[in-house]
């Protein structure tokens, strides 16, 4: 079969439309751009609807692996010209492979985690890049699942996929309301630690060895009042300098790694 | 005095030229965009060469503070129209105040830190945003100075200033070679911990209570061989998931906060 060379090819145009959130949500599909991300998605069992590849751009190990693996994926894999690939790919990313995948969806009541798990809850996260960065740290620290509560971005936004380095596919992730998340955690006996700039207790003074939920708020407004009350302990990170806040992904990583230190 | 309304005004054009690194370095000046950043720079004693302000854009507390403080700064402060300010400001940032400042420069041999200080060394950092993010965490954790060794970006790049939230002005920062940094730390009896993906020892197993240097490498290549040998201990962060690396600013924050936990 000849490579697709026309930017007006309907398959290409349909894939490009998936850059639009509304279209992704209508279709239940997302774009997976980047060889490492696509490889991790396949390893995690994500179902591909179709794939595009441009052999001359496939330079890295992951891209070459995918070139060999795509024919076995049971979905159409379209060879495209460099110009078409550059239209499909995001920004500077031209790693030669791009997948259109069914968006994995998991409900809170489908979540299955060990009884003593560490869980992360992100409330009201707005920036896909922050979501992805938190997923990357969660992956590193043995977090069992990430709950996106009252999210303000779509979970499988291509920028979230990219910032997560593809860990968004291997990590159990689900969406719900903050109230649902709190009830779910509370009924399962989780210790719930909410990161707040004015938290009463330093984060190193709480015990994260049992079932532990670490709850992080929106980039600008922090956590809602759902996370105030006797079921939730507000913890703070020391801030010794002139600035009064830390980046969301930095706060998440420090809390996850402290919990891991205690749990090991 | 009437506000500057012409985009061709020589003062405006000269300030816009400072977006170019070469011009910043030739002049020894940088642009400080953002009200919080400019306020922190003034509080840290940075010398302003001149300032631009656009009263209708000065909405936040920091911007209003600066509107009142600028006449006392001993430098020309030019009122400009909204259109001119938008030309001067970076991207979406139109907080109404912008400063042209003398770039603070400090040499390693001018650095004065407590005998038991915690120091951060960043080798070969390429992205100004990463430098700024590390400075923000260093500020929060009581790091006494940040040494940029073999840097590949200019220290006072406007994006570094912005990502640091202005902490780049309050934190003692200096530039040198990696060899100079190693010698300086070694002769002062610092324990030197180098973050490496394949580090021999988990970062939580080393003692950071005395004089401590935390050394972080380039985003892509990691640390050079300068940081190999009997004077340096390679430490690693646990990586329990599918990904094999963490973001530079995340690694830095986790190490700084663990050192702070031990030191308190």
């Amino acid at each position: 079969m000849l490579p697709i060379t026309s930017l007006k090819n309907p398959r290409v145009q349909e894939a490009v439309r998936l850059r639009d959130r509304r279209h992704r949500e209508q279709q239940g599909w997302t774009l997976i751009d980047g060889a490492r991300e696509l490889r991790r998605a396949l390893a995690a069992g994500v179902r591909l609807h179709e794939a595009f590849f441009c052999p001359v751009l496939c330079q890295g190990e992951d891209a070459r692996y995918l070139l060999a693996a795509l024919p076995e994926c049971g979905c159409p894999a379209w060879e495209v010209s460099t110009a078409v690939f550059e239209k499909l790919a995001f920004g500077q990313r031209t790693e030669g492979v791009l997948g259109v995948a069914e968006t994995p969806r998991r409900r809170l009541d489908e979540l299955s985690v060990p009884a003593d798990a560490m869980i992360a809850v992100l409330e009201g996260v707005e920036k896909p890049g922050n979501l992805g960065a938190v997923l990357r740290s969660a992956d590193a620290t043995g977090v069992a699942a990430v709950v996106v509560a009252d999210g303000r971005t779509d979970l499988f936004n291509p920028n979230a996929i990219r910032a997560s380095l593809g860990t968004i596919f291997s990590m159990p992730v689900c969406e719900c309301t903050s109230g649902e998340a709190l009830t779910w955690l509370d009924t399962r006996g989780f210790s719930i630690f909410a990161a707040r700039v004015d938290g009463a207790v330093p984060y190193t003074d709480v015990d994260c060895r049992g079932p532990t939920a670490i709850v992080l708020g929106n980039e600008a407004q922090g956590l809602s009042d759902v996370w105030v009350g006797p079921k939730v302990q507000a913890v703070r990170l020391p801030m010794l300098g002139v600035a009064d806040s830390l980046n969301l992904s930095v706060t998440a990583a420090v809390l996850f790694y402290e919990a891991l230190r205690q749990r090991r």
Side-chain angles (χ1 to χ4, degrees), chain A:
Chain A
M1 205 159 60
L2 289 173
I4 296 172
T5 56
S6 167
L7 299 175
K8 299 198 169 157
N9 177 286
R11 300 245 58 79
V12 172
Q13 293 201 314
E14 176 66 16
V16 167
R17 284 184 71 200
L18 290 172
R19 291 195 196 169
D20 177 57
R21 173 177 178 172
R22 189 185 303 265
H23 195 65
R24 286 195 298 274
E25 292 183 339
Q26 280 167 353
Q27 296 291 333
W29 296 339
T30 191
L31 285 178
I32 306 177
D33 189 10
R36 185 163 47 180
E37 291 76 2
L38 187 55
R39 185 171 180 175
R40 286 184 179 152
L42 291 179
V46 169
R47 287 180 57 184
L48 278 194
H49 173 69
E50 63 184 348
F52 298 88
F53 64 97
C54 178
V56 296
L57 294 175
C58 291
Q59 299 299 327
E61 184 201 324
D62 290 322
R64 286 192 298 262
Y65 168 88
L66 287 165
L67 264 193
L70 283 177
E72 315 297 322
C73 284
C75 74
W78 311 101
E79 183 176 344
V80 300
S81 66
T82 305
V84 170
F85 195 87
E86 284 170 353
K87 174 159 181 169
L88 286 166
F90 282 65
Q92 308 292 305
R93 282 222 140 175
T94 47
E95 296 177 4
V97 284
L98 186 140
V100 174
E102 283 186 27
T103 311
R105 293 284 169 197
R106 190 183 281 106
R107 296 200 317 272
L108 186 61
D109 58 17
E110 296 168 337
L111 206 59
S112 166
V113 298
D116 65 343
M118 167 157 56
I119 301 267
V121 179
L122 299 186
E123 184 188 60
V125 62
E126 283 180 16
K127 295 185 185 165
N130 279 338
L131 173 60
V134 172
L135 283 162
R136 197 171 158 191
S137 298
D139 168 76
T141 52
V143 167
V146 174
V147 177
V148 176
D150 296 343
R152 298 183 201 169
T153 179
D154 58 327
L155 211 52
F156 290 90
N157 180 300
N159 288 328
I161 295 172
R162 176 175 170 173
S164 84
L165 297 187
T167 61
I168 197 168
F169 299 112
S170 50
M171 172 68 65
V173 182
C174 70
E175 290 182 280
C176 60
T177 68
S178 286
E180 289 165 349
L182 177 60
T183 302
W184 190 91
L185 293 166
D186 182 49
T187 56
R188 282 161 184 78
F190 276 80
S191 298
I192 304 174
F193 302 113
R196 289 187 186 274
V197 171
D198 58 356
V201 183
Y203 76 107
T204 46
D205 288 0
V206 296
D207 185 346
C208 301
R209 288 172 299 176
T212 296
I214 292 170
V215 189
L216 299 144
N218 170 275
E219 294 90 344
Q221 289 103 44
L223 283 168
S224 77
D225 287 346
V226 171
W227 304 99
V228 174
K231 296 169 181 171
V232 179
Q233 187 151 19
V235 297
R236 69 170 186 275
L237 272 65
M239 298 289 302
L240 306 186
V242 301
D244 52 10
S245 71
L246 287 167
N247 181 295
L248 171 61
S249 68
V250 160
T251 303
V254 170
L255 293 173
F256 297 163
Y257 268 101
E258 170 61 13
L260 178 61
R261 186 190 69 80
Q262 293 185 17
R263 296 161 75 87
R264 290 193 119 183

